Amino acid sequence: MSLDTSKYKDMKFATRILHVGQEPDAVTGAVTVPISMASTFAQKSPGVPTGQDSHLSYFEGYEYQRTGNPTRGAFEQALAAAEGAKWCVAFSSGMAATSAIMHTLDKGDHIVSIDDVYGGTQRYFRRVVGPLADIKFDFVDFNTEGELAGALKPEKTKLVWVESPTNPTLKVSDIAKAAEEAHKAGAMLVVDNTFMSPALQNPFELGADIVLHSITKFINGHSDVVMGAVLTNSDEVRAKLRFIQNGIGATPSPFDCYLALRGLKTLHLRMAQHSKNALAIAELLESRTDIVEKVLYPGLPSHPDHATHRKQTKGDGAMITFYVRGGIDAARAFLETVDLFVLAESLGAVESLCESPAIMTHASVPKEMREKLGISDSLIRLSVGVEDIDDLKRDIEKALAAAAAAAGGAGGAGG
């Protein structure tokens, strides 16, 4: 049984993420959801679990932490309300969430994925799911007319998999169009909404059947949790995911759920500042044609998918990729010189992060595929945090000067 959220249905996003699933504790009156660390729960009678009157247990009661936990239930219900979904199922990582979706499929099924998908996802699809489960994949450019439709195989294609924007080249797909194509072929559309978060993009409103999140990133937002989630409005899909969640056991700890729930409460505030800062940094980079070859940020009018992005989102997000002139030497100099932008994998944190996708997060993508997608040694990915923008600009200018020196150019830190 799902939570009755009817009293929140007319309330705005910021209100829902603060209240759904987070009513004061019935026993103590605590206004913050408690962290329930118990591994097992007392039963009233054999086979009669405690907690069947609690919405946080989905009125099923509690037996064992892997099967259900009140802190996890609160997070799942809050995120479902944020994303506009009926159901949320939480996992111990974004890849565990991806794996759970794969476990809903059968041998011989077919998936069409966007070509510029996260490197870890592509590695898992190509090297684990494909050979071990005999599930077939086609990786295509959704923005090339006819490629998605041409790859679909009615009765065989079960999922269409899209990130928008993609990681790392920030291609934007028309989600509503992808949903239409998928549904015509009898497939479901899965949207990885990690980069935008529910604060800026709501794929269910555009026709998605399943939404995936790496909670590690913007939803938690503080670089201290690894966690994932899958959301759906389908009772059948949810039942499969719940069975897999319990059966495989890739569940998040109650403490991680508590931290992620705390992060969710400020998501709208953080995403607004992320977007504001990122646009300013993108404009700065675009002005530096002496050392920057190209900037990819969906909020810039120069982005090839700018119109599509603005049509389906409420903001532009924190992620920027750009190509520095001078190849790997210039890129390395930039990444070694920044101070506020921490050289590290991951993204979506309050602090700014930077990395080289070709060497770090997407090194597992075959070289020929990286070249086709434009993931070159000169590509740098920024996750712009919520620090003061003037400090971030100074950090970028200093690093660009180092990159220009390494490239043998006369760039420097000027405008």
Side-chain angles (χ1 to χ4, degrees):
M1 183 186 297
S2 62
L3 172 66
D4 180 9
T5 59
S6 57
K7 70 177 180 179
Y8 300 109
K9 67 182 179 65
D10 295 324
M11 295 183 184
K12 303 296 185 182
F13 180 87
T15 305
R16 297 198 307 273
I17 61 174
L18 285 165
H19 291 280
V20 175
Q22 302 165 74
E23 293 77 8
D25 185 79
V27 176
T28 67
V31 298
T32 300
V33 173
I35 306 172
S36 178
M37 296 297 291
S39 62
T40 191
F41 299 84
Q43 299 195 13
K44 297 178 179 180
S45 179
V48 183
T50 303
Q52 289 179 310
D53 58 343
S54 171
H55 65 82
L56 297 180
S57 76
Y58 302 97
F59 304 103
E60 297 170 359
Y62 301 108
E63 300 171 350
Y64 189 63
Q65 188 188 114
R66 170 166 46 82
T67 308
N69 173 275
T71 315
R72 187 170 86 212
F75 172 76
E76 289 176 335
Q77 292 174 16
L79 184 57
E83 194 65 90
K86 184 177 180 181
W87 302 109
C88 171
V89 184
F91 294 91
S92 56
S93 70
M95 289 308 303
T98 298
S99 174
I101 297 172
M102 293 300 103
H103 278 283
T104 67
L105 302 178
D106 294 322
K107 181 179 179 180
D109 284 347
H110 176 244
I111 297 173
V112 180
S113 171
I114 194 165
D115 52 2
D116 183 27
V117 71
Y118 165 55
T121 302
Q122 185 164 141
R123 175 181 59 207
Y124 173 63
F125 285 173
R126 290 181 181 276
R127 298 177 62 180
V128 179
V129 181
L132 296 184
D134 193 27
I135 291 173
K136 312 300 182 185
F137 291 88
D138 280 309
F139 297 89
V140 303
D141 182 357
F142 285 21
N143 291 352
T144 298
E145 191 64 35
E147 278 214 20
L148 172 56
L152 292 167
K153 301 174 182 178
E155 298 184 12
K156 293 294 290 181
T157 304
K158 302 302 180 183
L159 298 178
V160 172
W161 194 284
V162 64
E163 296 172 5
S164 187
T166 59
N167 182 5
T169 63
L170 300 179
K171 289 197 294 189
V172 175
S173 296
D174 187 325
I175 295 174
K177 184 176 180 181
E180 182 181 358
E181 294 285 357
H183 296 159
K184 281 194 295 187
M188 292 190 293
L189 178 68
V190 180
V191 177
D192 185 333
N193 200 29
T194 298
F195 269 27
M196 286 289 97
S197 87
L200 300 184
Q201 181 170 267
N202 301 112
F204 288 115
E205 295 178 359
L206 301 168
D209 301 285
I210 297 172
V211 171
L212 170 74
H213 282 285
S214 173
I215 303 302
T216 312
K217 312 306 193 294
F218 293 104
I219 289 173
N220 179 64
H222 293 80
S223 296
D224 53 9
V225 163
V226 173
M227 192 169 155
V230 183
L231 299 101
T232 185
N233 287 315
S234 165
D235 293 348
E236 180 182 0
V237 171
R238 187 260 183 175
K240 290 180 179 180
L241 291 170
R242 277 281 289 160
F243 182 82
I244 292 160
Q245 180 194 47
N246 184 52
I248 293 178
T251 53
S253 75
F255 188 63
D256 283 352
C257 291
Y258 169 81
L259 289 176
L261 183 59
R262 187 184 62 173
L264 181 64
K265 291 173 186 284
T266 60
L267 179 64
H268 57 303
L269 304 174
R270 290 184 284 108
M271 292 309 295
Q273 190 63 36
H274 280 303
S275 299
K276 182 180 178 181
N277 281 356
L279 178 59
I281 295 297
E283 290 173 341
L284 168 61
L285 291 169
E286 196 168 51
S287 74
R288 292 298 305 276
T289 55
D290 57 322
I291 187 60
V292 176
E293 181 180 351
K294 182 168 65 173
V295 180
L296 295 171
Y297 180 65
L300 291 175
S302 59
H303 191 286
D305 308 318
H306 176 72
T308 300
H309 177 77
R310 284 290 172 87
K311 178 181 70 173
Q312 63 190 24
T313 66
K314 304 177 183 72
D316 301 317
M319 304 307 298
I320 302 171
T321 56
F322 69 98
Y323 296 86
V324 66
R325 299 185 189 278
I328 186 62
D329 291 338
R332 190 178 296 278
F334 180 96
L335 293 168
E336 291 177 349
T337 302
V338 287
D339 287 323
L340 294 179
F341 281 84
V342 180
L343 177 58
E345 296 190 2
S346 199
L347 57 101
V350 287
E351 65 272 4
S352 295
L353 303 173
C354 62
E355 65 119 2
S356 168
I359 299 173
M360 297 168 68
T361 55
H362 290 70
S364 64
V365 177
K367 188 173 187 295
E368 63 275 13
M369 178 63 77
R370 292 202 307 269
E371 291 174 350
K372 177 184 176 183
L373 296 173
I375 306 174
S376 68
D377 290 344
S378 63
L379 179 67
I380 294 172
R381 188 186 76 182
L382 303 179
S383 175
V384 182
V386 300
E387 300 95 336
D388 187 277
I389 188 58
D390 292 335
D391 295 326
L392 292 179
K393 283 182 175 180
R394 278 192 292 270
D395 201 36
I396 292 291
E397 291 280 20
K398 180 180 66 173
L400 289 175

